[in-house]
Amino acid sequence: MNLISYYLDEQNQWALNINELRRALEESKSVCKPKAIVVINPGNPTGSVLTKDNIENIVRFAKENNLLIIADEVYQHNIWDPSARFYSFKKVMHELGVRLELVSMMSASKGFMGECGLRGGYLELENFDTEVKAVFYKMLSA
């Protein structure tokens, strides 16, 4: 495994710039074969929320580059900017008619139960092969 760092555009509400993603992906190919992109939306600790347009571009980028999207969406109930609106990667992906593997993570403790104390969460696997899901579920039950 190899970490592929990309930088968020602070001047543009911490958006994920597609040209920056392309740069990071191309530079990484000399040391690894990228398989996934992790996106945290809403962002922590910035509190930023990606626009629908930005998410659409990320979904298209992932499709073009055959990347699994791991969407950490656990802070969707902690949006403080009244002008910001949360869009899930799953919903945007379906609206675009794009089919790719997506892991969408959510929390029952962040925002709902508070930041401290009880912890609970869940994830959804979208468009995964049934055999891959079976191995994943077997691993979870072990």
Side-chain angles (χ1 to χ4, degrees):
M1 289 176 52
N2 190 62
L3 173 65
I4 303 169
S5 296
Y6 58 82
Y7 296 94
L8 302 177
D9 185 355
E10 183 177 358
Q11 306 307 317
N12 190 20
Q13 299 293 316
W14 299 96
L16 210 164
N17 183 295
I18 297 303
N19 289 329
E20 169 62 9
L21 278 181
R22 283 192 183 96
R23 180 210 54 80
L25 185 70
E26 288 307 311
E27 284 183 10
S28 71
K29 289 180 179 178
S30 64
V31 293
C32 67
K33 187 175 180 182
K35 298 290 185 184
I37 180 171
V38 177
V39 183
I40 302 171
N41 181 51
N44 181 19
T46 66
S48 63
V49 183
L50 297 177
T51 65
K52 185 176 182 184
D53 183 55
N54 199 196
I55 294 171
E56 288 173 350
N57 289 332
I58 295 165
V59 168
R60 288 186 192 106
F61 176 85
K63 181 69 175 175
E64 289 168 14
N65 293 283
N66 196 31
L67 299 173
L68 155 72
I69 296 177
I70 302 173
D72 178 341
E73 300 175 323
V74 304
Y75 288 102
Q76 62 187 269
H77 297 297
N78 295 0
I79 298 172
W80 311 115
D81 180 355
S83 66
R85 181 165 177 210
F86 172 79
Y87 296 93
S88 74
F89 271 81
K90 179 180 178 179
K91 180 176 180 166
V92 172
M93 185 179 76
H94 283 281
E95 287 176 353
L96 288 173
V98 173
R99 183 173 168 82
L100 57 92
E101 292 175 328
L102 169 73
V103 177
S104 179
M105 298 182 290
M106 184 48 183
S107 171
S109 55
K110 307 282 188 187
F112 179 72
M113 296 290 290
E115 295 299 320
C116 301
L118 297 174
R119 295 286 190 221
Y122 55 94
L123 62 84
E124 180 179 10
L125 302 177
E126 183 79 11
N127 297 319
F128 275 73
D129 183 275
T130 54
E131 290 181 29
V132 172
K133 278 186 177 180
V135 170
F136 183 77
Y137 292 136
K138 182 179 180 181
M139 177 188 70
L140 284 176
S141 66

